[in-house]
C-alpha cells in the first residue's frame, strides 16, 4: 500500500468538498439565515485539512487496485464526516450520528432520513442535503477527475473502483475526457429538468432541490409529504426524469454521437424499460379501485415504479397501504435497481439479465452435456471473468444482506418486515422501506447500532460492495 498517494487523493477530494460547501453558504445568505455560517466555517476547516494532506506530493505515482479501492472507500467516508459537521454546528441536526446518517444517505443517493420535520430545516441545510445527491449521483471521484488537473496513471483505477455496474468502460480513450463527457451529459439533463419544472410553475428553490434529488436518484424531499403536494404535471416531470437518469449513460453518449443505433441495441436498456412498463401496468390494474380514475391509478403507479426501480425514493402516496401484489412488485424492483452506468442503485438490470442467461445456459448444459454454449450480451460473448464476477458479487451481496439483517434483529423493538426492508432500502440505495421505515415514517427510531450498520450498507451498496469490504482485509493495508 502506497499511503502517500491515498493521503494525497483524500486531500484533493476534500478540496473539492470545501468548494462545494460554499453553495449552501451562499443559499443561506440569500435567505438571511444564521445557519449559513456553519457551512463557511466547515469549508475553511476542510480547506485547511486538505492543504495539510496535499502539502507533500507522492514521490512515485505507482497506483494499483489496492490504492484505488482504499482511496475511494475512505474518500466517501471522509466527505460524509465533513459534510455532516454543518448540520451539527448550526443545530439543524444536533446528533452527530443522525447528521452522519443523513449525509451518507445524501452522498450515496439513498434518501433514507432520520428527520420528522424536514420543513423545519434552514434553506442552507435543505440545499446541502439535496445537493449531496447531485454530487454523489455521478460519483465524487469522477467529479474530482473531471475538474481537477491530475497527473499519473491512476484515474482509470479510481473510476473503476467507483463506477456502478459489473464492468467498467471508458467512453473515449482518456479517462479524464470520459469523466468530463459523463458530467456534461449529467449537467445537461439536470438543466433540462430544471427548465421543465419551472415551466410547470414549481418554486425556484423547490425546483433546484428536486432536480438534484432526481438527477442523483436520491430522494430527499424538502416537504414533509415528499412530493405528494406537487401538481400532477410536476410529478409527471419527476417520473420521466427518474426513468431517464436510471438509464446507462453510455446510451446517451451513443445518441449524441454518430452511432445512434448502438443506443437502441443495448439489451440492458431495453430490459430496464420493459420491466418498468410491465410493472406499471400490473400495479395500475391492482390499485385501480383505490383512486377516483384509472388515470390517477396509472400516474401514481408510474411514479412509484420509477422511484423504486431507479432507487430514488420519492413518494406521492403511502404505497405501504397498497395491496400485497403491488407491494411485492415494488419490493422486487428494490433489488433489481436501475442500469449499470446510471446514477441508480440496486443489483443493476445488467446483472439480472446476465444471471438469467447464466441459469439458462446451465440448464441447457444439463440437458445437452456435450454442447458448447456461451452467455451473450448485446450480441457479444460475455467473457468468463465477467460471469465469474457477477456470481461472486451475488454471493457477497447475499452474505452482507443476511449479516446486516442479523445485526438489526439485535434490537427487539422492530418487526422482521421493518428490518428486512430497512436493509433492502439502504443496501440498494432506495430510501423508504415498509412498516416502521415506510414512506410516511423514517429511520429516527432505530438504535445507534442499527444506524451505523445501515450507514455501512448505504456505502457498500453505492460502491458495489468490494471497496467497503476490502477495508476489513488486513493484507490490503500492508505497506509495499
Amino acid at each position: 500500500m502506497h499511503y502517500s498517494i491515498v493521503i494525497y487523493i483524500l486531500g484533493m477530494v476534500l478540496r473539492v468538498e470545501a468548494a462545494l460547501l460554499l453553495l449552501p453558504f451562499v443559499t443561506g445568505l440569500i435567505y438571511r439565515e444564521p445557519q449559513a455560517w456553519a457551512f463557511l466555517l466547515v469549508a475553511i476547516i476542510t480547506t485547511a485539512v486538505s492543504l495539510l494532506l496535499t502539502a507533500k506530493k507522492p514521490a512515485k505515482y505507482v497506483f494499483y487496485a489496492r490504492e484505488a479501492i482504499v482511496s475511494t472507500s475512505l474518500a466517501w467516508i471522509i466527505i460524509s464526516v465533513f459534510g455532516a459537521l454543518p448540520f451539527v454546528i448550526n443545530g439543524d441536526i444536533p446528533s452527530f450520528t443522525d447528521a452522519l446518517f443523513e449525509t451518507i444517505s445524501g452522498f450515496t443517493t439513498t434518501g433514507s432520513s432520520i428527520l420528522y420535520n424536514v420543513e423545519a430545516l434552514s434553506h442552507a441545510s435543505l440545499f446541502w442535503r439535496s445537493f449531496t445527491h447531485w454530487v454523489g449521483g455521478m460519483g465524487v471521484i469522477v467529479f474530482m477527475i473531471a475538474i481537477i488537473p491530475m497527473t499519473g496513471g491512476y484515474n482509470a483505477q479510481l473510476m473503476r473502483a467507483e463506477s456502478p455496474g459489473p464492468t467498467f468502460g471508458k467512453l473515449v480513450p482518456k479517462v479524464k475526457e470520459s469523466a468530463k463527457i459523463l458530467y456534461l451529459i449529467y449537467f445537461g439533463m439536470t438543466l433540462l429538468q430544471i427548465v421543465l419544472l419551472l415551466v410547470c410553475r414549481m418554486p425556484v428553490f423547490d425546483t433546484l432541490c428536486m432536480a438534484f434529488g432526481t438527477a442523483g436518484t436520491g430522494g430527499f424531499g424538502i416537504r414533509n409529504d415528499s412530493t405528494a403536494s406537487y401538481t400532477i404535471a410536476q410529478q409527471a416531470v419527476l417520473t420521466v426524469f427518474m426513468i431517464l437518469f436510471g438509464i446507462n449513460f453510455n446510451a446517451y453518449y451513443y445518441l449524441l454521437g454518430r452511432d445512434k443505433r448502438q443506443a437502441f441495441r443495448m439489451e440492458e436498456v431495453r430490459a430496464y424499460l420493459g420491466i418498468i412498463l410491465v410493472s406499471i401496468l400490473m400495479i395500475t390494474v391492482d390499485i385501480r379501485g383505490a383512486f377516483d380514475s384509472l388515470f390517477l391509478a396509472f400516474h401514481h403507479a408510474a411514479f412509484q415504479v420509477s422511484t423504486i426501480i431507479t432507487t430514488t425514493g420519492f413518494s406521492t402516496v403511502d404505497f405501504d397501504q397498497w395491496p400485497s401484489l403491488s407491494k411485492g412488485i415494488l419490493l422486487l424492483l428494490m433489488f433489481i435497481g436501475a442500469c449499470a452506468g446510471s446514477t441508480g442503485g440496486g443489483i443493476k438490470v445488467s446483472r439480472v439479465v446476465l444471471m438469467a442467461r447464466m441459469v439458462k445456459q446451465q440448464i441447457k448444459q444439463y440437458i445437452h452435456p456435450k454442447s458448447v454454449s456461451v452467455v451473450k450480451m448485446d450480441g457479444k460473448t460475455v467473457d468468463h471473468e465477467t460471469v465469474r464476477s457477477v456470481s461472486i458479487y451475488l454471493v457477497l451481496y447475499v452474505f452482507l444482506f443476511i449479516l446486516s439483517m442479523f445485526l438489526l434483529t439485535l434490537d427487539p423493538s422492530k418487526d422482521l418486515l421493518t428490518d428486512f426492508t430497512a436493509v433492502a432500502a439502504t443496501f440498494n440505495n432506495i430510501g423508504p422501506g415498509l412498516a416502521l421505515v415506510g414512506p410516511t415514517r423514517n429511520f429516527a427510531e432505530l438504535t445507534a447500532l442499527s444506524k451505523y450498520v445501515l450507514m455501512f450498507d448505504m456505502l457498500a451498496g453505492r460502491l458495489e460492495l468490494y471497496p467497503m469490504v476490502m477495508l476489513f482485509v488486513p493484507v490490503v493495508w500492508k505497506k509495499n
Side-chain angles (χ1 to χ4, degrees):
M1 172 69 68
H2 295 276
Y3 288 101
S4 59
I5 291 180
V6 174
I7 292 171
Y8 184 76
I9 294 295
L10 294 180
M12 296 298 284
V13 169
L14 286 179
R15 185 177 300 182
V16 173
E17 185 175 29
L20 297 178
L21 282 164
L22 296 178
L23 294 176
F25 168 64
V26 172
T27 302
L29 290 183
I30 292 172
Y31 286 94
R32 299 180 181 180
E33 296 171 333
Q35 292 91 336
W37 295 98
F39 290 93
L40 179 61
L41 175 61
V42 176
I44 295 170
I45 294 172
T46 306
T47 301
V49 175
S50 170
L51 292 174
L52 287 174
L53 295 179
T54 57
K56 184 180 180 181
K57 292 187 177 181
K60 295 181 180 179
Y61 286 96
V62 182
F63 204 80
Y64 300 110
R66 282 194 300 173
E67 286 80 10
I69 289 170
V70 171
S71 297
T72 301
S73 303
L74 293 181
W76 280 76
I77 293 171
I78 199 170
I79 63 167
S80 298
V81 170
F82 280 87
L85 292 179
F87 294 131
V88 179
I89 294 172
N90 66 20
D92 277 342
I93 308 178
S95 166
F96 177 75
T97 296
D98 286 348
L100 185 61
F101 185 97
E102 200 79 6
T103 307
I104 290 178
S105 182
F107 277 120
T108 59
T109 71
T110 303
S112 300
S113 181
I114 48 79
L115 295 171
Y116 285 109
N117 185 9
V118 175
E119 296 174 16
L121 267 62
S122 62
H123 287 83
S125 291
L126 286 173
F127 182 92
W128 177 241
R129 188 169 167 266
S130 295
F131 190 62
T132 55
H133 281 333
W134 194 84
V135 176
M138 189 57 67
V140 179
I141 300 293
V142 176
F143 186 77
M144 181 188 71
I145 292 172
I147 67 171
I148 293 181
M150 299 179 71
T151 58
Y154 50 80
N155 285 348
Q157 294 279 12
L158 287 170
M159 279 191 71
R160 185 176 288 108
E162 191 180 53
S163 297
T167 58
F168 163 74
K170 296 182 289 185
L171 298 177
V172 293
K174 291 185 178 181
V175 175
K176 188 176 182 65
E177 294 305 312
S178 291
K180 286 183 178 179
I181 290 170
L182 286 172
Y183 257 100
L184 282 173
I185 295 172
Y186 190 49
F187 180 80
M189 290 175 62
T190 306
L191 188 61
L192 177 60
Q193 185 188 3
I194 288 172
V195 171
L196 291 177
L197 287 175
L198 290 174
V199 169
C200 292
R201 297 185 178 182
M202 181 179 283
V204 175
F205 184 77
D206 292 49
T207 293
L208 292 174
C209 292
M210 297 307 293
F212 293 150
T214 307
T217 60
F220 274 156
I222 61 171
R223 297 186 181 185
N224 291 332
D225 63 2
S226 185
T227 60
S229 58
Y230 293 124
T231 66
I232 296 292
Q234 292 163 356
Q235 292 172 357
V237 171
L238 295 176
T239 300
V240 171
F241 276 89
M242 282 190 288
I243 295 173
L244 292 178
F245 280 107
I247 291 176
N248 192 320
F249 273 53
N250 286 7
Y252 298 126
Y253 176 73
Y254 293 135
L255 286 173
L256 294 172
R258 296 178 180 179
D259 194 6
K260 292 179 172 56
R261 289 179 297 179
Q262 182 63 27
F264 299 99
R265 289 197 292 263
M266 295 179 69
E267 294 181 43
E268 180 188 28
V269 175
R270 297 206 303 268
Y272 165 75
L273 295 175
I275 291 169
I276 289 175
L277 179 60
V278 171
S279 299
I280 290 173
L281 293 177
M282 290 180 67
I283 292 178
T284 299
V285 172
D286 193 41
I287 65 171
R288 65 189 185 281
F291 296 94
D292 296 334
S293 67
L294 185 63
F295 169 76
L296 280 177
F298 176 83
H299 169 77
H300 290 294
F303 189 97
Q304 294 310 143
V305 166
S306 303
T307 193
I308 294 298
I309 194 171
T310 60
T311 69
T312 304
F314 291 136
S315 61
T316 55
V317 294
D318 183 7
F319 55 81
D320 197 16
Q321 303 302 316
W322 283 1
S324 296
L325 174 62
S326 295
K327 288 194 290 186
I329 293 172
L330 293 178
L331 186 62
L332 182 62
L333 296 180
M334 285 185 183
F335 290 94
I336 294 174
C339 296
S342 72
T343 60
I347 293 174
K348 303 294 186 300
V349 174
S350 58
R351 283 198 183 94
V352 174
V353 172
L354 280 174
M355 285 188 286
R357 292 185 179 178
M358 287 159 57
V359 171
K360 181 181 178 181
Q361 180 206 32
Q362 195 63 35
I363 292 173
K364 187 183 294 185
Q365 200 74 38
Y366 275 122
I367 298 173
H368 305 287
K370 295 183 179 180
S371 67
V372 178
S373 59
V374 294
V375 178
K376 289 190 174 183
M377 190 84 166
D378 296 333
K380 300 176 183 178
T381 300
V382 179
D383 61 86
H384 175 72
E385 184 58 33
T386 301
V387 172
R388 177 175 167 273
S389 69
V390 169
S391 301
I392 295 174
Y393 175 91
L394 182 61
V395 172
L396 183 59
Y397 180 97
V398 173
F399 172 77
L400 291 176
F401 195 99
I402 293 173
L403 178 61
S404 299
M405 274 282 296
F406 171 74
L407 292 174
L408 258 66
T409 56
L410 295 178
D411 175 14
S413 64
K414 307 184 304 302
D415 59 274
L416 193 61
L417 181 60
T418 296
D419 291 334
F420 182 83
T421 58
V423 174
T426 52
F427 206 29
N428 296 310
N429 304 132
I430 293 164
L434 297 173
L436 297 180
V437 292
T440 61
R441 309 288 290 272
N442 59 37
F443 292 71
E445 296 178 13
L446 303 186
T447 62
L449 172 62
S450 296
K451 289 175 183 175
Y452 278 102
V453 170
L454 297 178
M455 285 185 225
F456 174 86
D457 287 346
M458 287 188 275
L459 289 166
R462 174 58 183 83
L463 297 178
E464 301 283 292
L465 309 185
Y466 293 106
M468 290 302 297
V469 172
M470 294 292 280
L471 292 179
F472 298 93
V473 180
V475 71
V476 171
W477 299 94
K478 186 178 179 180
K479 190 172 183 180
N480 291 352

